[in-house]
Amino acid sequence: MTIHGPRLGVRVEGIVLQADVEYLMVDAAGRTLYLPIKALNGQTLLQEVEDDLWETATDRYGNTFFWNPRTRETRWDDPREDTVSREAAAETARRQALAADRRRAQDEAEMMAAIAAVEAAERKEQQEAEERRRVIRAAEEGAAEERRRRDERRREQLETDALIAKMLSEDLQRVQSVHEYSPQGPI
């Protein structure tokens, strides 16, 4: 059986059975193609073949319609546009998924940068707090050292004052004792 498509330049030569698979033998632009259609168990192997086989025709009133010579189905709308629409929708979905992946990657990168900035700020704050604690410790140690020196000077001063007081007291006692025992009497 040979069917000629008026606009597509495709001739369907027939259906060939081979190794449990049904093939559609198609002559397209001078080449014979064998397209697997379905296995003998009824499973469809090549769905897209139907879209490629749609041809245009005109009814007796001049209206254009589409028919599939293999399935003998007719339609007013072009089913090949459905294929293009599905492909365009699939491409749009793929691009949207890629864009969403890029946005997620960018959001992740921004989040990682924000986390790194927060961690850096926390490290800086910890270093500054440690520096403040070190300065306070040094000031406290300096103040403690100053108090210790001041206390040491006071103790030395008190010891010196006590020694001077003792010496003065001894001198005073000697003077009094010399005065009491003096053969001449009071002066």
Side-chain angles (χ1 to χ4, degrees), residues 7-24:
R7 296 204 182 166
L8 298 176
V10 173
R11 278 188 336 198
V12 177
E13 297 291 334
I15 296 177
V16 178
L17 291 175
Q18 185 177 24
D20 297 336
V21 177
E22 186 177 64
Y23 290 90
L24 181 63

Side-chain angles (χ1 to χ4, degrees), residues 117-164:
V118 167
E119 288 174 347
E122 287 175 349
R123 280 192 302 274
K124 183 178 180 183
E125 187 176 318
Q126 288 173 351
Q127 290 170 347
E128 289 172 351
E130 183 60 34
E131 179 64 19
R132 284 191 299 272
R133 284 191 292 272
R134 188 188 62 74
V135 167
I136 290 170
R137 268 194 311 270
E140 288 172 347
E141 288 172 0
E145 180 65 22
E146 182 61 32
R147 281 192 303 273
R148 188 189 62 75
R149 286 182 191 153
R150 188 180 60 231
D151 291 347
E152 182 67 28
R153 282 193 302 270
R154 283 184 185 161
R155 190 174 48 251
E156 288 174 358
Q157 186 65 42
L158 287 172
E159 287 175 0
T160 304
D161 290 349
L163 184 60
I164 291 173

